[in-house]
């Protein structure tokens, strides 16, 4: 592993140790209160951080395979939540097949294909397969939900993997590699969620989206934006090619778009009538509950950096 | 079931291999499980687990619910007319999956008791998996329950009967479809069903238990999406014979 990343993971380790210690202290101090949810969440964070470490420590192919698998889990959760028509099962198999193909383009670093494969080819192909199946009732809704699922869980998330395919770029403290960008984006996106949650708990008063996410507050959002932008600016010289101004812009982008992704997925869950998308990640819910912000930040951060630096 | 200890150990190894290379990859990676009250499953035999039946993957999901080491003691009851038609297939099903073949409609033909092998398994302290519907039926619908389970329970009144309801397999691999589509499966395990002396009250209570568990994992039928409902009335073209056989089926 690259030296800078090793230090960065040291930082994550320290953060998790502090989080676990604080929870342990709180549990001792207030034995009457229940901290099960917080404890489970932090425990899951340990696993996720370990997974990220494994993904970035070995060959980029490992990271690519893991990202593809995460897309698969997210898409599976999505199609399991939404109603599907029995006649669309063959179409669904095709949609699943699009996942390895999309990641193959990433592996080949074939940017042109990567960027249009799902929005153009798969978008046009799936309805064709549905026409062959012959069921017209609910056609538009079925085609729409399928494509929505692929765009969020596969197309968006695959941008994370494409960061790995980007060539080395000169940074303030040495060359910047794809792994560092992945780390930067992932850690900031997830810390932004945590920061918004914590600031909301501390200062939250004004609900910002009461009909969609009653616990999201304006204070939480602003606290998160400030924390994330500060961190983005602090980490940028080591992990990215950003100038200080661009780093601040990237921080604003990640925090505001992360929030948007979060509430958009919440709105969908509310539409379907579920609270959590699954139980894969104890304390968090399903894979989609953790990917929600990333469905927005991954493609937007990617195009921000791709446009200005590559 | 072989009495020779070496044969027995060999069969256990085959069943573990089946779990490792077929059942776990298909069920845990291909489908994904959300289980409610897994702890209610019987840890020790003899016991009977009754489940709804929608798909060829059902028995793999049920097997995957048990701890890896106890899988060889869990025996799915399966239709002899389906699994024992061809010799080599029967051998695979018996040794890798550990099925107990049941001759559907056997009781009426005046032949040997179709549940004979189930009795032996329970006497040996094994856990029996039974689909009282006797057939996979229409996707995500509970068909008529056959009374074979009541006969079994009368003979073994001490053996607990644990109901399990699975939702989602009728989407993943309904009858008539050959390639499974990945869908998450929700599973609810219930409390043991009390044994009742009257056949019809017992069957009604079993159905009631299934309906109750269904409410835990599946949306109520009236709220079910019309799109999902629509496909249910399509006749299953591929296997018309299975319905006929199921009519006087006993397990």
């Amino acid at each position: 592993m690259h030296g800078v990343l090793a230090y960065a993971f040291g930082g994550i380790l320290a953060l998790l140790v502090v989080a676990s210690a604080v929870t342990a202290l709180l549990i001792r101090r207030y034995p009457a209160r229940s901290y099960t949810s917080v404890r489970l969440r932090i425990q899951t964070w340990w696993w996720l951080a370990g997974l990220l470490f494994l993904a970035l420590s070995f060959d980029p192919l490992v990271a690519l395979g893991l990202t593809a698998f995460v897309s698969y889990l997210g898409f599976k959760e999505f199609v399991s939540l939404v109603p599907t028509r029995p006649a669309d099962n063959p179409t669904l198999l095709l949609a699943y097949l699009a996942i390895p193909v999309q990641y193959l383009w990433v592996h080949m670093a074939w940017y042109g294909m990567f960027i249009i494969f799902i929005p153009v080819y798969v978008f046009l192909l799936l309805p064709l397969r549905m026409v062959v199946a012959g069921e017209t009732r609910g056609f538009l809704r079925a085609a729409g939900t399928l494509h929505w699922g692929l765009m969020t869980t596969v197309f968006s998330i695959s941008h994370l993997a494409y960061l790995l395919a980007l060539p080395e770029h000169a940074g303030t403290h040495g060359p910047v590699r794809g792994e560092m960008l992945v780390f930067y984006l992932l850690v900031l996106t997830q810390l932004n969620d945590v920061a918004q949650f914590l600031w909301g708990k501390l200062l939250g008063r004004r609900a910002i989206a009461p009909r969609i996410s009653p616990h999201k507050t304006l204070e939480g959002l602003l606290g998160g934006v400030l924390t994330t932008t500060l961190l983005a600016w602090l980490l940028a010289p080591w992990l990215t090619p950003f100038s200080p101004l661009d780093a601040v812009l990237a921080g604003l982008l990640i925090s505001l778009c992360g929030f948007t992704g979060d509430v958009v997925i919440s709105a969908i869950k509310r539409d379907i009538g579920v609270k959590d998308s699954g139980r894969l990640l104890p304390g968090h819910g399903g894979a989609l509950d953790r990917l929600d912000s990333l469905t927005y930040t991954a493609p937007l951060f990617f195009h921000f950096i791709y446009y200005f630096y590559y | 079931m072989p009495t020779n200890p070496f044969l027995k150990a060999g069969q256990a190894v085959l069943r573990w291999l089946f779990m490792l290379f077929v059942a776990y990859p298909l069920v845990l990676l291909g489908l994904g499980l959300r289980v409610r009250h897994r702890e209610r499953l019987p840890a020790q035999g003899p016991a009977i687990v009754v489940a709804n039946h929608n798909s060829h993957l059902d028995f793999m999901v049920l097997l995957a619910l048990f701890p890896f080491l106890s899988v060889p003691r869990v025996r799915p009851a399966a239709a002899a007319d389906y699994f024992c038609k061809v010799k080599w297939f029967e051998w695979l099903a018996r040794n890798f999956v550990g099925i107990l073949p049941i001759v559907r409609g056997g009781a009426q033909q005046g032949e040997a008791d179709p549940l004979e092998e189930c009795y032996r398994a329970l006497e040996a302290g094994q856990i029996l998996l039974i689909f009282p519907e006797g057939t996979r039926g229409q996707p995500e619908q509970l068909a008529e329950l056959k009374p074979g389970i009541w006969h079994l329970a009368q003979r073994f009144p001490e053996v607990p009967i644990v109901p399990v309801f699975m939702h989602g397999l009728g989407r993943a691999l309904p009858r008539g479809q050959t390639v499974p589509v990945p869908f998450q499966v929700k599973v609810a395990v219930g409390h043991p069903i009390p044994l009742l002396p009257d056949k019809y009250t017992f069957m009604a209570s079993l159905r009631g238990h299934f309906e109750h568990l269904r409410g835990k994992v599946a949306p109520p039928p009236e709220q079910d999406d019309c799109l999902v409902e629509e496909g249910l009335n399509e006749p299953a073209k591929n296997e018309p014979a299975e319905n006929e056989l199921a009519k006087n089926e006993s397990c």
Side-chain angles (χ1 to χ4, degrees):
Chain A
M1 176 177 289
H2 198 272
V4 173
L5 264 190
Y7 283 112
F9 271 109
I12 296 290
L13 188 70
L15 208 63
L16 283 173
V17 167
V18 168
S20 291
V22 168
T23 327
L25 276 177
L26 281 173
I27 291 171
R28 273 186 109 182
R29 183 94 170 69
Y30 306 102
R33 292 188 208 168
S34 169
Y35 289 98
T36 320
S37 166
V38 179
R39 208 170 42 78
L40 277 177
R41 264 176 198 235
I42 293 176
Q43 209 175 318
T44 305
W45 278 126
W46 276 100
W47 283 106
L48 290 175
L51 205 65
L52 179 66
F53 181 76
L54 280 182
L56 296 184
S57 304
F58 296 103
D59 197 75
L61 209 57
V62 175
L64 188 89
L66 269 174
T67 322
F69 186 64
V70 167
S71 275
Y72 165 73
L73 288 179
F75 186 65
K76 180 156 67 77
E77 251 179 43
F78 181 83
V79 293
S80 301
L81 285 175
V82 298
T84 59
R85 310 180 305 170
D88 287 333
N89 269 9
T91 316
L92 266 170
L93 274 182
L94 272 186
Y96 273 111
L97 200 64
I99 301 174
V101 178
Q102 170 74 356
Y103 282 89
L104 178 70
W105 310 140
V106 177
H107 178 59
M108 294 165 71
W110 184 358
Y111 181 78
M113 194 48 141
F114 155 79
I115 212 70
I116 64 167
F117 177 64
I118 287 175
V120 179
Y121 293 122
V122 176
F123 174 67
L124 299 176
L125 176 73
L126 292 186
L128 172 64
R129 184 63 188 84
M130 289 167 65
V131 166
V132 173
E135 177 65 80
T136 52
R137 244 189 89 188
F139 189 96
L140 178 60
R141 185 156 69 146
T145 40
L146 256 184
H147 192 61
W148 213 93
L150 277 179
M151 284 299 284
T152 47
T153 60
V154 184
F155 181 70
S156 285
I157 299 300
S158 68
H159 284 74
L160 195 62
Y162 206 93
L163 286 174
L164 294 168
L166 293 177
E168 262 188 21
H169 196 291
T172 319
H173 296 282
V176 170
R177 294 151 52 92
E179 292 96 303
M180 302 178 186
L181 297 175
V182 170
F183 183 94
Y184 185 78
L185 169 62
L186 269 180
V187 168
L188 286 181
T189 303
Q190 304 302 347
L191 274 179
N192 180 56
D193 283 0
V194 177
Q196 289 192 3
F197 172 80
L198 290 179
W199 284 115
K201 281 263 164 194
L202 273 175
L203 307 172
R205 276 162 189 265
R206 274 162 289 228
I208 191 164
R211 287 181 55 194
I212 293 159
S213 275
H215 297 302
K216 293 252 180 319
T217 57
L218 183 64
E219 293 80 0
L221 172 63
L222 290 179
V225 169
L226 284 176
T227 312
T228 306
T229 308
L230 179 72
L231 263 171
W233 176 73
L234 281 171
L235 293 175
W238 282 275
L239 297 170
T240 70
F242 291 148
S243 68
L245 174 68
D246 285 346
V248 168
L249 288 178
L252 288 173
L253 181 101
I254 289 172
S255 50
L256 290 170
C257 298
F259 173 81
T260 315
D262 195 339
V263 286
V264 166
I265 299 287
S266 292
I268 286 167
K269 284 188 290 190
R270 208 148 272 261
D271 180 19
I272 299 167
V274 294
K275 190 177 162 289
D276 289 338
S277 65
R279 273 191 224 167
L280 186 68
L281 308 171
H284 297 258
L288 270 182
D289 294 311
R290 208 55 279 151
L291 290 178
D292 49 9
S293 316
L294 262 183
T295 60
Y296 266 65
T297 58
L300 293 170
F301 176 81
F302 175 86
H303 288 298
F304 176 74
I305 195 168
Y306 192 76
Y307 182 77
F308 287 112
Y309 289 88
Y310 288 92
Chain B
M1 204 186 90
T3 40
N4 181 331
F6 289 105
L7 262 179
K8 224 168 138 181
Q11 206 181 38
V13 170
L14 291 187
R15 297 206 53 194
W16 280 324
L17 287 177
F18 175 79
M19 292 309 286
L20 284 177
F21 292 101
V22 183
Y24 288 141
L26 266 173
V27 172
L28 302 180
L29 296 180
L31 300 173
L33 295 184
R34 287 178 78 170
V35 189
R36 289 175 67 101
H37 297 299
R38 191 193 291 252
E39 77 284 352
R40 289 181 188 165
L41 282 172
Q44 302 286 328
I48 302 172
V49 170
V50 288
N52 63 321
H53 199 17
N54 270 142
S55 160
H56 276 321
L57 296 175
D58 287 347
F59 76 91
M60 291 197 215
V61 169
L62 290 171
L63 287 177
L65 294 177
F66 287 90
F68 180 67
L69 287 180
S70 53
V71 164
R73 287 187 287 111
V74 184
R75 310 289 303 272
D81 52 84
Y82 189 93
F83 287 94
C84 304
K85 249 191 303 203
V86 193
K87 268 270 166 296
W88 63 267
F89 191 65
E90 179 181 351
W91 190 87
L92 289 181
R94 275 182 183 271
N95 290 286
F96 279 90
V97 186
I99 65 157
L100 296 167
I102 290 176
V103 182
R104 292 197 276 197
Q108 272 76 13
Q109 291 158 15
E111 290 167 0
D113 194 332
L115 298 177
E116 200 54 43
E117 291 205 45
C118 298
Y119 303 151
R120 296 290 89 79
L122 287 175
E123 281 160 10
Q126 298 187 320
I127 298 171
L128 191 59
L129 303 183
I130 283 192
F131 302 111
E133 292 166 276
T135 176
R136 286 168 294 158
Q138 300 301 331
E140 308 298 2
Q141 290 220 329
L142 194 59
E144 190 201 333
L145 304 175
K146 313 292 176 195
I149 175 69
W150 178 79
H151 292 292
L152 204 58
Q154 290 303 308
R155 192 166 168 142
F156 296 92
E158 308 297 309
V159 173
I161 303 173
V162 179
V164 173
F165 194 91
M166 297 172 283
H167 176 75
L169 285 148
R171 283 173 98 186
L173 187 68
R175 70 190 289 170
Q177 188 181 306
T178 43
V179 185
V181 178
F183 275 111
Q184 274 183 352
V185 174
K186 290 191 194 170
V187 182
V189 184
H191 290 294
I193 301 170
L195 182 59
L196 298 169
D198 179 59
K199 184 159 58 168
Y200 298 99
T201 17
F202 175 76
M203 295 316 291
S205 113
L206 178 58
R207 196 175 182 90
H209 275 86
F210 274 140
E211 298 289 356
H212 172 75
L213 291 176
R214 184 223 290 272
K216 303 280 182 196
V217 288
E222 60 271 18
Q223 273 179 34
D224 246 349
D225 198 82
C226 61
L227 301 174
V228 178
E229 287 279 292
E230 205 181 6
L232 300 180
N233 301 324
E234 284 171 19
K237 292 159 207 129
N238 296 5
E239 295 153 282
E242 203 169 306
N243 269 332
E244 290 301 311
L245 281 164
K247 268 180 192 151
N248 46 8
E249 188 278 327
S250 62
C251 200

